[in-house]
Amino acid sequence: MKIRFRAITALAAAVGISTLLHAVPAKADSVHIAGETTTYYTLSNYYGIGVEELMNANKSVASVNIYPGLKLTIPRENKLIAAADTSSPASVISTSLNVEKESNTVQAWGKEFNYAKVIQAKATAYSSAASENGKWGAVDYFGDALKLGTIAVDPNVIPLGTKVLVTGHSHPGLPKQAFLATATDMGSAIKGNRIDIFIPGSQSFVSDFGFQNVNLYIID
């Protein structure tokens, strides 16, 4: 949905995941492919590994940005490596979202964030398709590769570099209820209280997002 523009000085999910469990020989630093209900907490329960240890093994993956198809490192030797979520009770945990207006805090995925303000915005989504990214390719305004957590904004409303907790959206390519994003992109069609959310996947898959009203918690 985004029509890009750049200053001349600018730097240049799989939805059909099987729910079957595939056991493989135990190895250190194995890989778990996330399903729709995967969190560090469910992985901790399933593998018997501390949440902090899992997060340290996946430092580039924020707890609120785990999405179906994401490959997560499972440290140490384990009896079983799951290629997808199982139906065990430990795996069936949904996102919780709790807003405390008096203290300006919001809790998502068991983590608390302080926020400066809340913005109601109209959201669209874009993919890495060339037709949506022009001559610059699948990179953000700073020339970094597009990834889950990238959003395009009007910098007059949300300055570039701002951390945002996005809530109120619905799409299988995004974490449920809430995810942490960074404003690192912009486009000529993104004006006012508008954001464009990058979603990994095909253009047709991403286009199902349509137009949605979301709440943006501007993280301090």
Side-chain angles (χ1 to χ4, degrees):
M1 297 290 296
K2 176 163 58 65
I3 303 171
R4 293 168 174 254
F5 71 96
R6 292 284 193 278
I8 193 167
T9 57
L11 300 173
V15 292
I17 301 173
S18 168
T19 57
L20 296 178
L21 178 68
H22 301 284
V24 297
K27 292 182 180 180
D29 291 345
S30 301
V31 173
H32 179 101
I33 300 176
E36 290 189 357
T37 60
T38 299
T39 68
Y40 283 125
Y41 180 72
T42 63
L43 291 175
S44 174
N45 282 349
Y46 186 73
Y47 290 110
I49 300 173
V51 171
E52 185 175 353
E53 187 175 353
L54 287 164
M55 294 180 72
N56 286 337
N58 298 274
K59 291 183 178 180
S60 63
V61 181
S63 60
V64 293
N65 286 350
I66 297 176
Y67 59 91
L70 179 68
K71 294 181 179 180
L72 294 163
T73 299
I74 306 299
R76 305 189 319 194
E77 298 244 345
N78 295 284
K79 295 178 181 179
L80 242 234
I81 303 304
D85 275 356
T86 73
S87 58
S88 66
S91 297
V92 185
I93 296 179
S94 59
T95 313
S96 61
L97 186 66
N98 183 41
V99 180
E100 296 289 345
K101 294 182 179 180
E102 292 183 0
S103 59
N104 274 36
T105 59
V106 56
Q107 296 175 351
W109 298 95
K111 184 174 182 179
E112 185 173 271
F113 302 91
N114 295 316
Y115 66 91
K117 62 180 178 178
V118 184
I119 297 175
Q120 294 182 330
K122 181 78 73 175
T124 50
Y126 65 111
S127 70
S128 57
S131 59
E132 296 184 74
N133 295 282
K135 66 179 181 179
W136 297 95
V139 295
D140 63 18
Y141 182 79
F142 300 99
D144 296 321
L146 298 175
K147 60 182 181 298
L148 186 71
T150 297
I151 58 172
V153 300
D154 180 346
N156 292 318
V157 177
I158 302 175
L160 291 175
T162 301
K163 296 286 186 183
V164 177
L165 189 69
V166 183
T167 70
H169 58 280
S170 177
H171 190 277
L174 293 171
K176 293 181 179 179
Q177 293 197 28
F179 69 96
L180 193 63
T182 307
T184 57
D185 211 357
M186 58 185 187
S188 58
I190 310 303
K191 298 296 183 184
N193 286 20
R194 283 270 285 107
I195 66 167
D196 210 7
I197 302 169
F198 174 73
I199 300 178
S202 68
Q203 191 171 16
S204 60
F205 172 65
V206 174
S207 67
D208 287 341
F209 185 93
F211 290 87
Q212 298 185 24
N213 293 315
V214 298
N215 287 327
L216 310 175
Y217 291 84
I218 307 302
I219 303 302
D220 288 342

